[in-house]
């Protein structure tokens, strides 16, 4: 009996040590699955709207040899309204939930990472217009930037876990945007320690890949 109790005790200790890690990995996997689902919905909707509306100029663009951004606000507003209508999104009139999201300085000081620390993430978060999707995700639009919380106001509300920062891109093909618009993290994206960039999840990688390259 004593040996059985000792064995059970050892098993219990091992379970107590490993269970949090298993639960953590499971939760991360559920966030990643949810992200892929929402990303697919938005990207496919964007593809359809681009075809229906013709050339769209709502995207981030790096002129060759420069480090500047371009977008056309009127086109971005039209694009946002078209997506909201197509997906039947419900506008959130109260965005106090954004207070639960970490700001750039705290993410950086806590060991987080960014594709580009020069991006003004706080301003884009603060100025974004939030909407609820039918399945409870929160879509946030701010000009050419798109922020996504895959499980709405539920926790953990962490960048790179259930919360993601991306932008519309045409991969520097400024004169031929109609068939090249893509939702990416190639110009601006931020993650908290332990989180994953969108590209890492979409490539089914366990660790973050080179943030200075894009695989599309």
């Amino acid at each position: 009996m004593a040996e059985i109790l000792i064995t059970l005790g050892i098993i219990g200790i091992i379970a107590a040590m490993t269970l949090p890690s298993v639960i953590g990995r499971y939760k991360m996997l559920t966030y990643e699955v949810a992200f892929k689902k929402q990303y697919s919905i938005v990207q496919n909707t964007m593809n359809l709207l681009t075809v229906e509306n013709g050339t769209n100029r709502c995207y981030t663009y790096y002129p060759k040899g420069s480090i500047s951004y371009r977008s056309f606000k009127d086109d971005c507003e039209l694009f946002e309204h078209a997506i909201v209508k197509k997906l039947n999104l419900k506008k959130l009139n109260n965005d106090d939930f954004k207070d639960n999201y970490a700001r750039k300085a705290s993410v950086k000081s806590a060991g987080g990472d960014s594709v580009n620390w020069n991006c003004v993430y706080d301003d884009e978060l603060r100025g974004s217009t939030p909407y609820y999707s039918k399945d409870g995700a929160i879509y946030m639009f701010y000009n050419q930037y798109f922020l996504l919380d895959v499980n709405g106001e539920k926790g953990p509300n962490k960048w790179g876990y259930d919360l993601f920062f991306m932008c519309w891109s045409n991969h520097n093909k400024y004169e031929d945007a109609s068939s090249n618009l893509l939702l990416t993290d190639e110009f601006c994206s931020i993650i908290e320690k332990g989180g994953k960039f969108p590209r890492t999840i979409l490539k089914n990688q366990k660790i973050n890949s080179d943030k200075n390259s894009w695989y599309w």
Side-chain angles (χ1 to χ4, degrees):
M1 179 63 73
E3 292 179 351
I4 294 176
L5 292 175
I6 292 173
T7 301
L8 291 175
I10 293 173
I11 293 174
I13 293 172
I14 294 174
M17 294 173 62
T18 59
L19 193 58
S21 177
V22 172
I23 293 174
R25 286 197 297 270
Y26 172 76
K27 287 183 177 179
M28 195 69 178
L29 180 60
T30 61
Y31 302 146
E32 292 177 13
V33 171
F35 169 74
K36 289 179 180 179
K37 174 187 175 182
Q38 297 300 332
Y39 180 93
S40 178
I41 290 172
V42 176
Q43 181 66 54
N44 289 334
T45 302
M46 183 274 292
N47 292 342
L48 179 61
L49 292 173
T50 301
V51 172
E52 291 179 348
N53 299 335
T55 300
N56 190 290
R57 300 177 297 175
C58 180
Y59 50 80
T60 299
Y61 166 66
Y62 271 122
K64 189 174 182 180
S66 177
I67 311 179
S68 61
Y69 300 89
R70 293 187 185 182
S71 69
F72 292 77
K73 186 175 181 180
D74 290 345
D75 275 23
C76 289
E77 291 177 349
L78 289 172
F79 198 32
E80 175 185 332
H81 294 158
I83 291 179
V84 169
K85 182 178 180 180
K86 183 71 70 174
L87 296 180
N88 194 25
L89 303 179
K90 181 180 179 182
K91 188 173 183 179
L92 289 170
N93 295 317
N94 187 336
D95 59 3
D96 290 344
F97 67 90
K98 294 179 184 177
D99 293 336
N100 296 321
Y101 300 155
R103 297 315 194 252
K104 181 171 75 170
S106 61
V107 171
K108 190 173 185 179
S109 64
D113 198 4
S114 171
V115 169
N116 182 359
W117 285 114
N118 292 320
C119 294
V120 284
Y121 298 104
D122 296 351
D123 291 347
E124 286 141 7
L125 170 63
R126 189 181 302 110
S128 64
T129 304
Y131 299 86
Y132 256 129
S133 71
K134 291 180 179 179
D135 50 6
I138 295 179
Y139 293 4
M140 291 168 274
F141 299 88
Y142 184 79
N143 293 333
Q144 72 269 35
Y145 300 101
F146 178 73
L147 290 70
L148 169 66
D149 191 327
V150 299
N151 57 0
E153 297 182 54
K154 298 178 182 178
N157 295 320
K158 295 176 65 176
W159 298 105
Y161 288 77
D162 59 335
L163 180 62
F164 301 90
F165 193 107
M166 294 168 284
C167 65
W168 304 111
S169 169
N170 78 334
H171 296 308
N172 295 337
K173 295 182 179 179
Y174 182 68
E175 298 82 6
D176 183 25
S178 60
S179 62
N180 293 287
L181 288 180
L182 190 70
L183 187 58
T184 80
D185 64 3
E186 63 187 312
F187 297 120
C188 293
S189 192
I190 189 169
I191 61 173
E192 295 181 57
K193 186 175 181 180
K196 290 184 178 181
F197 287 111
R199 73 184 67 185
T200 304
I201 296 174
L202 294 172
K203 292 178 69 176
N204 296 314
Q205 294 181 328
K206 293 183 179 180
I207 60 175
N208 289 308
S209 58
D210 182 3
K211 63 185 178 182
N212 294 316
S213 64
W214 186 253
Y215 70 93
W216 299 101

